[in-house]
Each structure stands twice: as C-alpha cells, then as structure tokens.
Amino acid sequence: MKQRSFKQYFITGLLVWLPMGITVWVLTWLVGLLDGIFLAILLAADTLIPGMHKLAELLRGVPGLGVILVALVIFATGVFVANMFGQWWLRQWDNLMNRIPVVRSIYTSVKQVADTLFSGSGNAFSKALLVQYPRQGSWTIAFLTGTPGGEVAKHLGQPMVSVYVPTTPNPTSGFFLMMPKADVIELEMSVDDALKYIISMGVVVPGGPDALPVAPAASQQPL
C-alpha cells in the first residue's frame, strides 16, 4: 500500500513539473536562439564598423536582450513596409532575391508558405480531417491545406484535396498528400484541439474526459 501511494505521489508531482519544465526549456532555447542571432549580426557588422565586437561582448552578458531587440526590429520592419515607400523597397528586395539562382528557390518557397500561414486570407490548416494513412483501415488526424491546382490538377480525374499529415509528437514534420475528397472525413473539432490530440499521442481527447467512450460492462467484455 505504501509503495502504491509513493508511486501515485511521484506521478502527481511529475505531472506538475513536467509541463512547466518543458515550457521553461523551450522558452530558454528560444531566448538563446534569438540572442545568438543578434550577436551574430553584431559580429558580422564588425567587418564594416571596427570595434563592434567589443559592444557584442558587452551585450553578451545581458540575458534576453536579443529577444527584445529582434522583436523591435521585426515590429519596425512591419511599420516600415506598411506604407507605399516601404512597399517599393520590399518589391526591390524581392526582385533581388529572385535573381539569385539558388537563393531564389528557397526564398520564394518560404515566402509563399509564410504568406499562406500568416496572412488573413490564407487557408492553411483551415480544418481538421480524419484520413486513412498510411494504409486502408488505419486512421489519423490531418489538416486541410487547400486543393490541388495548376498542372497537377489536370492529371487528377476526380475532386481532390491537399492535406498535411503531421507526425507525433512533433507536428512540425509530416507528409503532404493529395487525397480524394470522398475519402476525407471533416471533423468538428478545432485545429487547436486536433494539434493537442496529435502532440499528446492521443492521450488528450478533444472535449475532455466526457468525450471518452464508455467502457463496456464486465459481462460484455471479450475474453
């Protein structure tokens, strides 16, 4: 009885500290990443402005300064390109990036994805779906990203949808599939609930514990 109580107490404490620890770890990693980007920019500017490395070494000891400065730069950039003069400079920058052979493919792809994800008119991850993957009879959660178009749509003989099937527990990696619209089941759950369902590997059920299926009676359970 004591062993069982100790195990329960340990698991209860783990459930309290594990989400907090992972959250702190992610935030610490993000702060370190942004600080590193800011310091790398300062060190690169040292080639143009001698003595910049001294400023970089001085600011290295200020934790979180890179996050604040990077956020300010992003905000200032948004303010700058919100007018006609900024839009003109943005078009010139896009034209320059599109003229560089290798950079052009990466830049345009990332820009199109970013415009789709963050623009108000984008339809990325608009709905949660239930699809059969990776084989018939095996079901998983996917997200609607649009419909096939261009040359690809000409070779498809039936209505198709473009879906993204994320991996578990890391939904940032996954697979892009084009599936028949008739084989896709549209779910009522929100995209956020579907992401929680995927990240938790099916443990966090959308709708809470009340949404769990009722266990059959002992007399009806299979042997």
Side-chain angles (χ1 to χ4, degrees):
M1 187 71 175
K2 294 182 179 179
Q3 183 179 2
R4 183 177 181 182
S5 299
F6 174 80
K7 182 179 179 181
Q8 290 178 344
Y9 291 147
F10 183 83
I11 292 177
T12 302
L14 182 64
L15 293 177
V16 173
W17 283 105
L18 186 61
M20 187 182 303
I22 293 177
T23 302
V24 172
W25 176 77
V26 172
L27 292 178
T28 303
W29 172 82
L30 182 60
V31 170
L33 177 64
L34 294 178
D35 283 344
I37 293 175
F38 174 68
L39 292 176
I41 294 175
L42 287 180
L43 293 176
D46 185 58
T47 58
L48 300 177
I49 306 176
M52 187 64 70
H53 66 280
K54 296 181 180 180
L55 178 61
E57 292 296 333
L58 180 63
L59 297 178
R60 187 187 297 273
V62 183
L65 180 62
V67 178
I68 298 175
L69 294 178
V70 170
L72 289 176
V73 170
I74 295 175
F75 177 78
T77 304
V79 174
F80 175 73
V81 300
N83 52 67
M84 296 181 59
F85 182 71
Q87 289 290 331
W88 181 84
W89 276 106
L90 181 61
R91 287 193 296 269
Q92 302 306 313
W93 176 259
D94 289 340
N95 294 333
L96 176 62
M97 292 294 102
N98 289 328
R99 293 174 183 175
I100 305 176
V102 178
V103 176
R104 175 177 56 196
S105 301
I106 302 175
Y107 179 80
T108 54
S109 299
V110 174
K111 182 175 176 58
Q112 290 175 359
V113 172
D115 290 342
T116 303
L117 289 176
F118 297 108
S119 65
S121 59
N123 61 346
F125 289 19
S126 57
K127 295 179 181 178
L129 307 174
L130 190 63
V131 300
Q132 297 192 67
Y133 182 83
R135 61 176 179 84
Q136 292 291 328
S138 179
W139 294 85
T140 189
I141 302 294
F143 297 102
L144 178 67
T145 61
T147 56
E151 181 183 359
V152 175
K154 297 178 181 179
H155 296 279
L156 302 176
Q158 57 180 321
M160 306 283 286
V161 292
S162 300
V163 302
Y164 172 72
V165 180
T167 56
T168 301
N170 179 20
T172 58
S173 63
F175 304 93
F176 164 66
L177 303 173
M178 288 173 283
M179 309 183 68
K181 189 174 181 180
D183 295 343
V184 170
I185 299 177
E186 183 177 329
L187 300 175
E188 296 182 358
M189 73 174 69
S190 64
V191 173
D192 291 338
D193 288 340
L195 283 173
K196 294 177 184 177
Y197 199 30
I198 294 169
I199 295 174
S200 67
M201 296 175 287
V203 176
V204 180
V205 180
D210 295 338
L212 290 172
V214 180
S219 58
Q220 297 178 352
Q221 292 181 352
L223 299 178

